[in-house]
């Protein structure tokens, strides 16, 4: 059995019901919108985010979920989908999960409006049900994701990212959404309990490990084959590169920065940068950091009684850093 299927097993019923509720939460009187949201729903990814919501809720609540849990999962998926639609416009990307992106099929203007629509649907789902605690969790996540993206753009111009700034960028850009999923799961069944913060921290640690794993893919992987070097082409400063930049000689640093600033489209030069980062332990360093975040997340889970939901969350934590794509 595939790992993702194994993780899903204890929440299979909830995930099936969630699918129906999620589709309903997107519905509109505008035919064009319904056509687009139908397209989105039929091209869904692994749905890791709702899985976190349900697994955390069931672990903390003796295997039970509430209507609030379904709303929390729907809200996070609506918001996440809205950010993906907007991201594709920002990145001028024509593909998403192997399919055409919304902006490729319906142009930027419609894609931006659809993103806005999904965002408002998510917020209203919380407001209409007086889930103000859930709404606050979501709103903080949206604010942080925007700040993280802008901080990354600002730093990419100067290429002056320290490791501390890098962690702040990935915490906001990636980890904050997974943290929101886990705290939503807790808040949906144990509102205002210490678990809401504990699970937020748990999700944040997984998110940090998840993003470092993504950064490592840029340097190649047995499954993917050749190194991609996409981050270098886009002048994105990732942990392997930051570590090497901060630990090489001034002459090497000058060459690296010049390569990224002025030769980032030159395939041969990008290959040289990748080889340099590998030779100077950039990847080993990033792997160690990723494993430290993973370990801290597992320590939090150790504090909870054994259950199939806890087992699935442990599998999820390990899957995040063992995944092949």
């Amino acid at each position: 059995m595939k790992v993702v299927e194994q993780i899903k097993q204890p929440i299979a019923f909830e995930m099936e019901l969630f699918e129906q509720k999620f589709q309903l939460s997107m519905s509109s009187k505008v035919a064009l919108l319904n056509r687009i949201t139908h397209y989105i729903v039929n091209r869904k990814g692994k749905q890791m985010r709702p899985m976190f919501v349900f697994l955390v809720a069931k672990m903390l609540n003796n295997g039970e979920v509430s209507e609030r849990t379904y709303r929390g999962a729907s809200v996070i998926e609506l918001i996440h989908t809205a950010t993906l639609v907007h991201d594709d416009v920002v990145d001028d990307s024509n593909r998403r999960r192997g399919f055409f992106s919304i902006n490729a099929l319906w142009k930027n203007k419609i894609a931006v409006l659809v993103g806005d629509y999904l965002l408002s649907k998510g917020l209203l789902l919380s407001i209409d049900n007086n889930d103000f605690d859930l709404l606050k969790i979501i709103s903080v996540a949206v604010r942080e994701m925007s700040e993280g993206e802008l901080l990354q753009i600002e730093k990419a111009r100067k290429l002056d990212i320290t490791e501390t700034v890098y962690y702040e960028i990935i915490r906001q850009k990636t980890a904050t959404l997974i943290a929101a999923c886990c705290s939503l799961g807790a808040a949906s069944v144990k509102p205002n309990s210490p678990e809401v913060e504990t699970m937020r921290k748990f999700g944040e640690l997984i998110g940090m490990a998840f993003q470092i794993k993504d950064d490592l893919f840029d340097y190649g992987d047995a499954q993917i084959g050749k190194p991609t070097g996409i981050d270098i082409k886009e002048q994105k400063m990732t942990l392997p590169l930051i570590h090497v930049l901060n630990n090489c000689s001034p002459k090497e640093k000058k060459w690296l920065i010049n390569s990224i600033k002025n030769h980032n489209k030159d395939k041969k030069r990008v290959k040289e940068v990748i080889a340099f980062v590998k030779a100077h332990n950039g990847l080993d360093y990033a792997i160690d950091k990723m494993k430290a975040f993973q370990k801290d997340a597992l320590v939090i889970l150790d504090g909870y009684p054994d259950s199939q939901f806890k087992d699935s969350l442990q599998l999820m934590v390990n899957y995040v850093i063992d995944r092949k794509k």
Side-chain angles (χ1 to χ4, degrees):
M1 195 193 298
K2 278 186 174 172
V3 181
V4 177
E5 291 309 311
Q6 216 177 324
I7 294 167
K8 255 188 194 176
Q9 240 180 340
I11 50 165
F13 171 78
E14 285 79 9
M15 288 300 289
E16 218 166 289
L17 190 52
F18 161 73
E19 292 269 320
Q20 299 163 23
K21 288 177 184 278
F22 181 57
Q23 281 187 343
L24 280 173
S25 71
M26 279 201 201
S27 65
S28 155
K29 292 188 178 78
V30 179
L32 174 63
L33 252 174
N34 284 334
R35 206 155 64 240
I36 296 171
T37 54
H38 181 74
Y39 180 82
I40 291 170
V41 166
N42 286 338
R43 280 149 195 80
K44 61 185 183 293
K46 296 188 193 78
Q47 294 190 304
M48 306 271 286
R49 286 154 194 85
M51 284 159 67
F52 274 122
V53 177
F54 289 118
L55 285 171
V56 167
K58 291 187 91 168
M59 180 181 79
L60 298 179
N61 200 36
N62 302 320
E64 298 293 321
V65 297
S66 66
E67 270 306 311
R68 268 164 59 88
T69 315
Y70 286 102
R71 289 198 295 270
S74 291
V75 167
I76 204 84
E77 199 66 349
L78 282 164
I79 303 290
H80 174 58
T81 309
T83 61
L84 293 185
V85 172
H86 281 165
D87 279 353
D88 287 340
V89 175
V90 171
D91 298 338
D92 205 10
S93 172
N94 290 324
R95 311 288 286 183
R96 166 72 61 184
R97 298 182 183 129
F99 297 97
F100 283 116
S101 59
I102 304 300
N103 50 301
L105 291 173
W106 284 281
K107 302 287 178 275
N108 284 354
K109 186 175 181 179
I110 288 177
V112 171
L113 293 169
V114 168
D116 291 346
Y117 172 77
L118 295 172
L119 199 61
S120 66
K121 274 291 207 183
L123 302 178
L124 284 168
L125 184 60
S126 298
I127 292 166
D128 292 345
N129 292 283
N130 293 328
D131 296 330
F132 295 110
D133 54 337
L134 305 188
L135 183 60
K136 184 168 185 189
I137 292 168
I138 295 288
S139 303
V140 168
V142 173
R143 183 198 71 203
E144 296 220 306
M145 283 155 66
S146 311
E147 283 181 349
E149 284 287 355
L150 288 164
L151 179 60
Q152 185 172 44
I153 290 167
E154 180 193 342
K155 293 296 178 184
R157 288 178 178 162
K158 294 182 187 167
L159 300 185
D160 61 346
I161 296 191
T162 60
E163 207 171 305
T164 311
V165 171
Y166 165 80
Y167 288 135
E168 185 54 16
I169 289 171
I170 68 165
R171 186 190 68 73
Q172 292 186 315
K173 261 189 67 175
T174 305
T176 195
L177 194 64
I178 298 176
C181 297
C182 297
S183 56
L184 278 173
S188 72
V189 291
K190 299 264 165 128
N192 306 316
S193 69
E195 260 90 0
V196 178
E197 174 54 26
T198 305
M199 286 294 113
R200 187 201 67 75
K201 188 68 199 159
F202 167 73
E204 186 174 283
L205 290 162
I206 298 172
M208 300 293 277
F210 183 92
Q211 186 55 53
I212 296 173
K213 177 70 173 183
D214 258 12
D215 291 352
L216 287 162
F217 282 139
D218 205 47
Y219 289 87
D221 182 272
Q223 267 64 29
I224 295 171
K226 298 188 190 95
T228 62
I230 290 168
D231 288 339
I232 295 167
K233 286 180 195 126
E234 293 179 357
Q235 300 186 337
K236 276 187 190 154
M237 302 290 282
T238 59
L239 188 55
L241 183 59
I242 291 164
H243 174 69
V244 171
L245 267 175
N246 293 333
N247 290 281
C248 61
S249 70
K251 190 181 167 191
E252 290 168 327
K253 186 172 184 175
K254 197 177 169 187
W255 173 79
L256 270 175
I257 288 181
N258 182 33
S259 301
I260 296 155
K261 264 196 170 160
N262 305 314
H263 304 279
N264 56 322
K265 303 282 191 281
D266 175 344
K267 282 184 182 169
K268 183 169 172 283
R269 190 73 167 256
V270 169
K271 271 185 182 165
E272 286 169 6
V273 169
I274 287 172
F276 186 87
V277 170
K278 283 181 173 173
H280 288 73
N281 297 327
L283 301 197
D284 296 338
Y285 181 80
I287 289 167
D288 286 347
K289 290 291 180 187
M290 174 180 75
K291 287 186 172 166
F293 284 119
Q294 176 204 25
K295 190 170 162 234
D296 289 347
L298 290 171
V299 166
I300 290 177
L301 281 183
D302 285 344
Y304 291 92
D306 288 342
S307 68
Q308 52 182 341
F309 316 111
K310 176 180 164 179
D311 292 346
S312 274
L313 283 168
Q314 284 170 332
L315 261 180
M316 191 87 114
V317 176
N318 295 328
Y319 171 73
V320 158
I321 74 163
D322 294 335
R323 67 201 164 97
K324 305 297 179 222
K325 59 180 177 181

